[in-house]
Amino acid sequence: MDKQKQIAILGSTGSIGTQALQVIAEHPDRFAARILTAHSRWQLLAEQARRFVPAAVVIADEGCYEPLRDALADLPIQVYAGADALCQVVESDAVDIVLTAMVGFAGLPPTISAIRAGKQIALANKETMVVAGELINALAIEHKAPILPVDSEHSAIFQSIIGEVSPIEKIILTASGGPFRTFSRQQLATVTPDQALRHPNWDMGAKITIDSATMMNKGFEVIEAKWLFDVEPDRIQVVVHPQSVVHSAVQFADGAVKAQLGVPDMRVPIQLAFSFPERLQSSFDRLNWFTMHSLTFEQPDTERFPCLAIAYEALRRGGNAPCVVNAANEVVNLAFRQQRCSFTDIHETIARTMDAVTHINKPTLDDYLATDAEARRYADSLLNK
Ligand code: NAD
Ligand code: MG
């Protein structure tokens, strides 16, 4: 029998984290939850720890340490708190795979720790690749840490190139188009967070759901694809596909296109990132070809969804530009959810921040940390005007 893989989940209380625990629960002989972490939802983290009995749990918000420790006092589980503890626990010798299911720039430091410790990375936290893809790739090579994509599109691309020895001619990156796919510019100016949080096909965390509505999520996925698959941006074509059945595709030199299809269910790419190169049995829904009526494809509209064009522009500028865009986006994404700005303020604030923050061509990790802070301050100042 194959060895049971020991998994650390960074962000076990989130959408990806809880689905990863379902995958682990389906295959107790193959996977174990070794480390679970969360930001502040200590009650849910304690419940998960009771059920999966990991060796350690980390709560990033230090204010939640005591209630969490007390809730687990009768169990043989180490309890830690703080952002530094996240970076330390992933280095444990016992850990085989680190699932990065935290949201935002905060996922970068623990992902770097895990790579430096040579762990296999199941990458959900796309912000890591958006901010620092070049640096992450260099570290992953240096420390022989394989990076397996969890993002459904990148998993589809990965699955489509298995066994190929020839280069990719083009990546076809599919996008649902989000809840506002058919909205006019006038309509977009007045949409509310509640409307934006109703995604047609996927049930995800709040931040990525807003990013899907602006299509910044797809812009970030273009950047993620460039770094994961070493394909230049002009060979990455975004195609709007409202049904989210074709999860993405790859075209080769002879014109052949390979795609991966399935029911929209994140547990499939999560499980594959854990079990690769094997595929394991699953109880998840199968595609029904006769209720699926039609699969449709459209051009994305960067007039109505400028965030997609901003992401391509950030890639073209290179250096710390994608880091700036990510930071500004985190600020305005939250501001929109808190009704401190309008939907159309999102792209305007990001574009202006991208133009204002000092450009650095070959950023170090410290440069990324400084850029992130500067871009947040600048975006905040624009919102407070
Ligand atoms: P979520 O908001 O549902 O969950 C985020 C998790 O991270 C929670 O467990 C939270 O406690 C933890 N967290 C948040 N901020 C933290 C911090 N500062 N320090 C420590 N922990 C922190 O988010 P999600 O939808 O599960 O997305 C997680 C990541 O996966 C994101 O990068 C997202 O882009 C990516 N992703 C998600 C989906 C999806 O279907 N949800 C699909 C593709 C990619
Ligand atoms: Mg995706």
Side-chain angles (χ1 to χ4, degrees):
M1 198 191 84
D2 286 280
K3 169 174 170 282
Q4 188 195 44
K5 289 180 184 164
Q6 302 294 314
I7 300 174
I9 305 182
L10 295 172
S12 63
T13 55
S15 159
I16 293 289
T18 50
Q19 294 180 85
L21 285 173
Q22 291 172 26
V23 168
I24 292 174
E26 278 218 1
H27 300 283
D29 53 328
R30 302 294 300 261
F31 309 128
R34 184 86 194 180
I35 288 161
L36 299 178
T37 82
H39 178 252
S40 50
R41 291 172 67 191
W42 65 269
Q43 290 100 331
L44 178 55
L45 181 59
E47 253 172 60
Q48 294 177 336
R50 254 179 205 283
R51 168 141 190 233
F52 289 90
V53 200
V57 295
V58 181
I59 190 85
D61 180 347
E62 293 177 26
C64 303
Y65 172 72
E66 279 177 24
L68 178 64
R69 183 201 55 196
D70 295 348
L72 297 175
D74 59 322
L75 292 170
I77 300 174
Q78 305 279 351
V79 181
Y80 303 103
D84 291 343
L86 293 174
C87 294
Q88 286 155 15
V89 290
V90 295
E91 294 172 347
S92 157
D93 282 343
V95 170
D96 299 308
I97 300 176
V98 176
L99 171 66
T100 68
M102 289 166 63
V103 63
F105 184 89
L108 180 66
T111 304
I112 289 180
S113 286
I115 292 173
R116 287 203 168 119
K119 303 303 179 190
Q120 177 176 322
I121 308 296
L123 183 96
N125 181 265
K126 68 190 84 188
E127 293 90 341
T128 294
M129 292 313 260
V130 171
V131 168
E134 195 166 9
L135 181 83
I136 291 291
N137 278 346
L139 286 171
I141 290 168
E142 183 185 344
H143 298 281
K144 301 190 175 59
I147 300 179
L148 279 94
V150 167
D151 213 347
S152 57
E153 295 78 2
H154 304 76
S155 180
I157 295 161
F158 176 69
Q159 292 175 61
S160 301
I161 59 176
I162 292 171
E164 297 289 343
V165 294
S166 303
I168 293 171
E169 181 176 80
K170 194 166 96 178
I171 285 175
I172 296 97
L173 189 70
T174 53
S176 71
F180 306 137
R181 183 175 56 88
T182 59
F183 280 41
S184 69
R185 272 171 128 172
Q186 287 78 358
Q187 285 175 300
L188 285 174
T190 58
V191 294
T192 64
D194 279 347
Q195 283 174 289
L197 287 168
R198 270 179 246 131
H199 194 279
N201 304 341
W202 299 96
D203 184 10
M204 311 178 286
K207 192 254 180 187
I208 186 178
T209 306
I210 300 298
D211 286 346
S212 300
T214 61
M215 291 196 76
M216 185 50 98
N217 181 52
K218 209 49 56 179
F220 284 168
E221 291 183 357
V222 170
I223 301 176
E224 186 186 9
K226 179 205 153 63
W227 295 119
L228 284 176
F229 304 108
D230 191 21
V231 171
E232 288 311 308
D234 60 349
R235 292 177 182 267
I236 305 174
Q237 179 172 33
V238 173
V239 173
V240 175
H241 166 46
Q243 298 81 17
S244 298
V245 167
V246 177
H247 294 317
S248 279
V250 177
Q251 181 176 304
F252 298 95
D254 56 358
V257 177
K258 282 167 76 177
Q260 185 257 329
L261 285 67
V263 173
D265 184 338
M266 288 307 296
R267 293 173 300 181
V268 177
I270 293 168
Q271 176 169 300
L272 185 66
F274 290 170
S275 71
F276 186 78
E278 254 185 282
R279 288 184 187 273
L280 305 182
Q281 185 63 36
S282 89
S283 64
F284 318 146
D285 284 349
R286 303 313 197 237
L287 264 190
N288 183 330
W289 293 86
F290 305 112
T291 55
M292 199 164 50
H293 303 308
S294 68
L295 298 180
T296 58
F297 303 92
E298 306 162 11
Q299 288 260 19
D301 180 354
T302 52
E303 298 277 310
R304 286 181 302 131
F305 300 100
C307 286
L308 187 55
I310 291 173
Y312 274 100
E313 175 62 18
L315 255 188
R316 200 189 57 72
R317 294 187 192 183
N320 65 342
C323 174
V324 172
V325 167
N326 177 71
N329 182 61
E330 287 191 31
V331 169
V332 282
N333 180 305
L334 181 65
F336 174 69
R337 278 183 273 152
Q338 295 176 338
Q339 296 180 296
R340 289 187 285 117
C341 75
S342 73
F343 190 75
T344 40
D345 286 337
I346 295 178
H347 67 82
E348 276 172 27
T349 308
I350 298 169
R352 288 175 63 187
T353 307
M354 179 168 70
D355 287 341
V357 172
T358 327
H359 185 78
I360 303 173
N361 224 353
K362 277 260 167 209
T364 62
L365 180 56
D366 285 342
D367 292 331
Y368 284 124
L369 295 168
T371 297
D372 179 70
E374 185 188 344
R376 281 170 196 271
R377 272 194 306 276
Y378 192 85
D380 251 326
S381 73
L382 290 178
L383 289 179
N384 292 330
K385 260 191 194 139

